Each structure stands twice: as structure tokens, then as C-alpha cells.
Amino acid sequence: MKNTITALVLGLSLLVASVGISDAQDWQKGLEAAKKGDFETTVREWKPIAEQGDAKAQFNLGVMYAKGQGVTQDYKEAVRWYRKAAEQGDAYAQHNLGLMYDKGDGVTQDYKEAANWYRKSAEQGVAKAQYNLAVMYNTGQGVAQGYKEAVKWWSKAAEQGYAKAQYNLGVMYAKGQGVTQDYKEAEKWYRKAAEQGYADAQYNLGLMYGKGQGVLQDNVYAHMWFNIAASNGYAAAVKGRDIVGKQMTATALEKAQALARECVKKNYKGC
């Protein structure tokens, strides 16, 4: 199962609705400069707005310090700006602050504090925060380990279309962790992630077709999904494809390969 904590929520695209006309003009200048890659100008325009207490500007300034855009990369300064925005209720800053505590960037690593900020962000609907909070429940870092809570938060992120969460939710249904084992439900969530090009889910769909779990057993579709996953860099899929291929006729192999090409052309939708 993929439990990797997701990365920073990036800024630069959020508008500041609360600033005055003058500040709004400065914000726009900074935004236009960022689009051109002139991050030093962006920082110069946005820092005064952030210092006046605007949460969106504070969040975006935090992102720039975290990435070293227009300033020397400085995680402690990133944390300082994220915290200012997070304490005002900015959901994206709350997620990013949680991530900093999770990784120990700019602060002493503290899983409980990470979970605290992820939860605040997750409750406001940020999918990455919901995903990361679920990871913590799954592993028991910063919170009491609990598969049901992991499923709860992965479900929320999955319903928003977050591919990693869809995949992990499929794994939970396949294993019966936190939910009653249900291969059809697992297949449903694997497919949603697979349709977004997520190779792990494409591989698992191949396994399900090969074993007949949640779907009718079908080596043609097993080979198709293994082939697609392999083309997307999933090494184990090569072995799966070759094993299934040895059990197929030349005609069936040709069909599976044609279906794989068609599926790729359709961006994995409706395969």
C-alpha cells in the first residue's frame, strides 16, 4: 500500500479577497511577476501584504520560502508564515504546516502536531490533508492506530478524486481492513485511480482480473492492465503480464494488446 505523505500544497494561484484596492494592485503585480518566474518581485510585492495580516499572502510567502523562490530557501521562515496563516484558519497553510511537522522541516519533528494541523485542514475539505491524516491513522503516527479512521479519511479524499486515496481505499476493501472485505468495492476504487493513470491501481486491476476478484476472471483484461501498468513504470507488472501471457492464445494476446493501445488513447477511461 502506498502510504507516502503527500507534498506541499502549492500557492501562487490563490486570490486575496480581503485586501484593499492598493494591496490588491500589489498582489496582482506579484502574481504577474510569479507567472513570469520573477519571484524576487513577487516576494517584494507580497511581503508587505503578509505583514499586514492577510492569510493568503502569508500562505503563499510560506510556499516561496519552502521552495526557495525569490528568497533563500528557509524552512524555519516558511513555518513562521504558514503558522500565521494557519492560525487564521487558512486550510492550505494548515496542511503545509502539518507537513513541516511531519517531516521535521524547520521545526522539530512532531507527529502529534502534524496530525493536529492535518485534521484542521482535512475538516475544511483539503484532500491532501485528508489523505495524510489517513496515512497517520493507518500507521499510528501521532494518533492511535485505527483502520476505520484511515478508511474514513481516505474515503473523503477519494470522493474528491484524489488518486492515491482511491488506490489506498481499494487496498483497504481488498484486505478487509477497517471495512468488511469487498472485492467489488476494491475494484471500483482501483478503477477510479487507474483511470487517472495511477500505475499501482492499474497493476492491482490486472491482479483482480487474473484472480477473478470483484470481476469475472479474464486473462485478456488482466494482460491489458498489466501491460498498461508496465508502460507507466510499474516493474512488477512486467512479470504479471508475462505470466498471464503464457496462458493465452496468440489471438487472445493480440486482442489484449489492441485493448491496451485503445485504452491509452482514451486516457484510461472506459477500458
Side-chain angles (χ1 to χ4, degrees):
M1 182 190 298
K2 293 289 183 177
N3 280 330
T4 307
I5 296 294
T6 59
L8 294 175
V9 175
L10 303 182
L12 307 184
S13 62
L14 297 172
L15 296 179
V16 180
S18 59
V19 298
I21 294 175
S22 178
D23 286 342
Q25 291 173 344
D26 292 340
W27 173 265
Q28 191 61 35
K29 288 179 184 177
L31 185 60
E32 292 301 321
K35 290 177 181 178
K36 296 175 183 177
D38 181 5
F39 296 114
E40 289 183 3
T41 296
T42 301
V43 171
R44 186 168 62 250
E45 296 293 339
W46 286 358
K47 196 167 187 177
I49 303 173
E51 288 171 343
Q52 290 174 35
D54 187 88
K56 298 303 182 187
Q58 292 167 344
F59 162 70
N60 281 289
L61 201 57
V63 171
M64 300 189 80
Y65 274 105
K67 297 181 71 179
Q69 293 179 324
V71 290
T72 301
Q73 188 178 54
D74 187 334
Y75 289 134
K76 287 186 178 180
E77 193 68 4
V79 167
R80 185 171 79 88
W81 287 110
Y82 286 150
R83 190 182 307 280
K84 287 179 180 292
E87 289 175 348
Q88 293 193 67
D90 186 276
Y92 298 105
Q94 290 168 345
H95 167 271
N96 285 13
L97 184 56
L99 188 66
M100 303 300 269
Y101 274 108
D102 204 340
K103 296 173 70 177
D105 288 337
V107 289
T108 301
Q109 189 175 52
D110 186 332
Y111 292 129
K112 286 186 178 180
E113 195 67 9
N116 174 55
W117 287 109
Y118 283 153
R119 187 182 307 280
K120 291 178 184 294
S121 179
E123 288 174 347
Q124 294 196 65
V126 175
K128 284 188 176 184
Q130 293 168 343
Y131 174 88
N132 286 345
L133 184 59
V135 169
M136 302 198 84
Y137 274 110
N138 191 58
T139 58
Q141 289 183 316
V143 293
Q145 196 279 337
Y147 290 134
K148 286 186 177 180
E149 279 296 302
V151 167
K152 169 187 168 181
W153 289 107
W154 273 330
S155 294
K156 289 179 181 294
E159 287 165 0
Q160 293 195 66
Y162 198 70
K164 287 183 179 181
Q166 292 170 339
Y167 167 78
N168 280 8
L169 188 57
V171 171
M172 301 301 271
Y173 274 107
K175 290 184 174 181
Q177 292 181 325
V179 288
T180 301
Q181 189 177 54
D182 187 333
Y183 289 128
K184 286 187 176 180
E185 195 69 9
E187 184 272 338
K188 174 184 123 177
W189 289 109
Y190 286 153
R191 188 173 298 276
K192 287 181 181 292
E195 288 180 345
Q196 295 191 63
Y198 198 62
D200 302 65
Q202 293 167 342
Y203 172 76
N204 280 15
L205 274 182
L207 289 176
M208 299 197 84
Y209 273 106
K211 296 177 181 179
Q213 293 178 330
V215 291
L216 293 174
Q217 198 282 333
D218 191 323
N219 282 345
V220 169
Y221 279 96
H223 189 282
M224 181 198 81
W225 281 114
F226 283 145
N227 203 11
I228 290 169
S231 71
N232 284 325
Y234 199 89
V238 175
K239 182 178 179 180
R241 179 191 63 196
D242 293 345
I243 290 173
V244 171
K246 291 177 181 178
Q247 304 170 27
M248 299 168 66
T249 65
T251 300
L253 272 172
E254 186 178 339
K255 181 180 179 182
Q257 291 165 352
L259 284 171
R261 289 192 295 270
E262 181 183 349
C263 185
V264 171
K265 287 181 182 178
K266 296 191 297 184
N267 292 320
Y268 315 116
K269 304 293 192 299
C271 300

